Amino acid sequence: MEQLKSTPLTSHHRALGALMAPFGGWDMPIQYEGIIAEHRACRDQAALFDICHMGEFIFSGDIVKDGLEDVFTFSVASIPVGRSKYGFLLNEAGGIIDDLIVFRLAEDKAMIVVNAATADNDFEVIGSRLKGGGLANVTGVTGKLDLQGPHSRVVMERLFGAAGSNLPYFKFTTAKILGFEAIVSRTGYTGELGYEIFIPNEKIVELWELILSDDRVKPAGLGSRDLLRLEVGYSLYGSDLSETITPLEAGLESFVNFDKEFIGKGALLSQKQSGLTRVKVPFKVGSRRSPRHDYTIMSAGENVGIVTSGAFSPMLGCGIGIGFVPPNLATPGTPLTICHDKVSMEAEVCNLPFFKGGSLRS
Amino acid sequence: MSYFFSKEHEWVKVSGTTGTVGISEHAAHELGDVTFVELPQVGKVVKQFGGLAAIESVKAASDIYAPVSGKVIAINETLENTPEVVNESAEESGWICVIEMSDPSEVEQLMTKEAYDAYLKGL
């Protein structure tokens, strides 16, 4: 087991009394005050997350000629400079090696933001698929803070003036923050209005303290982040997505462009033709019980699938979850039973997102 | 009235032959935000250290064991919709049920508050 990596903020998290745990090879804060209080802070006001563990790569070169265009399930060449796009890196079988976002920094430059646990492998795979150009792993020198919540725009305006605060969704800009070149992006993982700020690691502590000096902002850990993303139906790599799950099974075909080439395309096309044997299914529990990862999904007494994410939703007041079942059981309204040991809970297939009232597009 | 604690972190506050039961502040803190309490049915007969109830938090699902034997004669219904009371006041308002004890001498198998605090330090 490799030693856990630390972000520039690890000692600050401990000083704030955070409960720390390993996540994707990093020593990360799970909660400070409490998962539900931090969830509430993000839905009602603003929350600040240390996301320095995520991986960042910089590609420089000709996007088409050097092969970046064919690496992902979406076209990088058609992303306008200043915009970003979400999609997948697939294996030959169409399984998801990672879900990621590409930021088009310039005509000949892109930043690829990937999950922490998969970063090293992603870097190798992407590198091996390029025909030219350069790919640099800047994870170790790039810090990332996410400011999320309905008040995040006014906080950004107060701290940094116009820089980035009026960005539309999935647009980003470069701005001088604390004297350094930063990328401010109108993206996030919570379903709320929010910003992701990339800045060199050496400025992360200063930026963290500056943003938290605003009374409207609370520090939030990965526990609340997981709950926030599940309430809006975002998938979590390693739980809902993996190398043995395809984007079609995961209900994410809209992030796959079949008009271009990419590794895994043939497998996805043949899966489309033969039909899916399992699909992602969102469900609500009829009580406050929480479904959890790896719980069994039953229908008419038969074991029909598995829960990949589940929690108690503070916004809905009931248990919610995502799992995989045969397509005929994935229609909204279908009753399912979630089982684990002696616990069983009645659930019903629903639509995504579970929580619809977020400030995401405000 | 005095509190007795089990190794599984339940408490019982004894008054005559009835015991009010809950989970310790330590247990509530370890669980994190409590999101669901499965209360026992009134009339349920339980054995000391046998299953009594269940509790779920944002982190985990756990069983609650009866610190004493007897019959459940009251339950804390406020926990059905506001289980967070367990976090706010685990050893007072967050009580789970009242047991009519069949053998009050069983508290000798439990720890006093002082002994429980010492036990926690050793964990």
Side-chain angles (χ1 to χ4, degrees):
Chain A
M1 184 77 198
E2 262 183 75
Q3 214 197 329
L4 285 181
K5 288 177 258 195
S6 299
T7 81
L9 290 163
T10 301
S11 60
H12 285 70
H13 300 319
R14 290 194 196 282
L16 284 167
L19 172 73
M20 306 290 288
F23 181 83
W26 295 70
D27 187 21
M28 297 302 291
I30 301 305
Q31 63 171 68
Y32 306 87
E33 180 188 351
I35 289 173
I36 289 183
E38 291 158 32
H39 162 277
R40 198 80 236 181
C42 186
R43 289 267 181 257
D44 292 347
Q45 301 208 31
L48 186 65
F49 302 84
D50 174 6
I51 307 298
C52 293
H53 60 303
M54 283 183 78
E56 295 91 7
F57 314 143
I58 302 285
F59 168 85
S60 319
D62 186 309
I63 283 165
V64 175
K65 226 166 55 193
D66 292 329
L68 188 66
E69 179 64 359
D70 298 339
V71 173
F72 308 117
T73 58
F74 54 97
S75 164
V76 176
S78 63
I79 307 172
V81 173
R83 294 242 174 209
S84 56
K85 206 164 168 66
Y86 171 85
F88 308 103
L89 176 67
L90 301 184
N91 59 29
E92 291 284 354
I96 301 169
I97 296 173
D98 206 0
D99 67 330
L100 46 85
I101 295 183
V102 172
F103 292 72
R104 188 78 185 269
L105 301 178
E107 275 306 310
D108 58 352
K109 207 171 167 193
M111 178 170 72
I112 304 159
V113 180
V114 303
N115 284 296
T118 44
D120 290 345
N121 182 51
D122 291 350
F123 185 70
E124 271 185 45
V125 172
I126 297 168
S128 73
R129 291 182 188 180
L130 292 175
K131 292 177 247 163
L135 187 70
N137 187 343
V138 296
T139 306
V141 293
T142 308
K144 176 175 180 287
L145 299 182
D146 288 12
L147 176 63
Q148 304 272 303
H151 289 178
S152 55
R153 183 182 287 130
V154 288
V155 172
M156 289 292 286
E157 268 165 15
R158 189 178 78 80
L159 296 176
F160 311 116
S165 58
N166 283 318
L167 287 166
Y169 190 45
F170 266 81
K171 200 157 189 282
F172 70 89
T173 187
T174 51
K176 275 261 190 293
I177 288 183
L178 302 170
F180 276 66
E181 192 86 338
I183 293 173
V184 178
S185 170
R186 178 69 201 283
T187 40
Y189 197 46
T190 61
E192 297 297 330
L193 169 70
Y195 303 86
E196 299 184 288
I197 307 169
F198 299 86
I199 198 167
N201 259 346
E202 61 216 86
K203 301 307 280 185
I204 279 289
V205 169
E206 205 179 322
L207 182 60
W208 172 264
E209 287 177 342
L210 177 65
I211 297 176
L212 281 186
S213 70
D214 190 303
D215 289 344
R216 290 167 286 204
V217 186
K218 274 191 181 180
L222 297 185
S224 59
R225 184 172 156 92
D226 188 45
L227 190 50
L228 289 156
R229 69 90 194 168
L230 181 59
E231 281 189 328
V232 288
Y234 295 163
S235 298
L236 173 65
Y237 195 86
S239 293
D240 311 311
L241 307 176
S242 76
E243 291 227 27
T244 59
I245 296 171
T246 72
L248 306 184
E249 293 168 326
L252 298 167
E253 188 178 339
S254 58
F255 302 99
V256 178
N257 179 354
F258 285 102
D259 296 333
K260 65 178 279 290
E261 292 313 307
F262 58 88
I263 288 179
K265 182 176 171 181
L268 295 191
L269 286 173
S270 71
Q271 194 175 47
K272 255 167 118 72
Q273 207 155 37
S274 59
L276 302 172
T277 56
R278 56 170 184 178
V279 292
K280 177 171 85 176
V281 65
F283 58 85
K284 281 182 205 172
V285 175
S287 73
R288 295 179 60 103
R289 279 195 185 276
S290 303
R292 292 173 204 268
H293 185 73
D294 278 347
Y295 280 18
T296 304
I297 304 177
M298 311 276 291
S299 170
E302 299 276 317
N303 178 344
V304 294
I306 198 146
V307 175
T308 52
S309 282
F312 169 76
S313 162
M315 299 312 286
L316 276 71
C318 66
I320 57 171
I322 289 174
F324 285 82
V325 296
N328 64 312
L329 295 171
T331 315
T334 307
L336 297 172
T337 306
I338 312 300
C339 300
H340 179 70
D341 290 341
K342 54 188 190 292
V343 171
S344 101
M345 51 193 106
E346 296 309 315
E348 191 178 288
V349 177
C350 63
N351 287 303
L352 288 178
F354 297 105
F355 168 62
K356 297 177 178 71
S359 57
L360 180 64
R361 289 170 192 276
S362 64
Chain B
M1 282 197 283
S2 43
Y3 282 80
F4 296 92
F5 291 82
S6 72
K7 286 183 177 172
E8 300 287 347
H9 310 285
E10 292 89 11
W11 54 264
V12 55
K13 186 169 72 173
V14 177
S15 169
T17 57
T18 64
T20 305
V21 170
I23 66 163
S24 73
E25 277 171 16
H26 168 83
H29 181 78
E30 289 294 303
L31 281 170
D33 295 316
V34 173
T35 52
F36 175 74
V37 180
E38 184 186 54
L39 296 165
Q41 297 241 309
V42 171
K44 178 176 178 164
V45 176
V46 292
K47 274 214 158 98
Q48 189 179 31
F49 307 131
L52 172 67
I55 191 162
E56 295 190 9
S57 75
V58 287
K59 285 188 222 154
S62 316
D63 288 324
I64 298 174
Y65 301 99
V68 289
S69 305
K71 188 162 96 178
V72 175
I73 57 169
I75 55 173
N76 186 358
E77 285 170 357
T78 60
L79 300 185
E80 282 172 3
N81 290 315
T82 53
E84 59 271 23
V85 172
V86 174
N87 294 112
E88 291 155 11
S89 174
E91 295 179 14
E92 296 287 348
S93 323
W95 63 277
I96 287 163
C97 66
V98 178
I99 294 176
E100 178 69 41
M101 295 189 291
S102 54
D103 179 4
S105 75
E106 280 177 348
V107 297
E108 288 163 23
Q109 310 298 317
L110 302 172
M111 291 173 272
T112 62
K113 174 79 178 147
E114 293 70 32
Y116 178 66
D117 287 344
Y119 168 72
L120 291 181
K121 280 194 188 112
L123 287 182

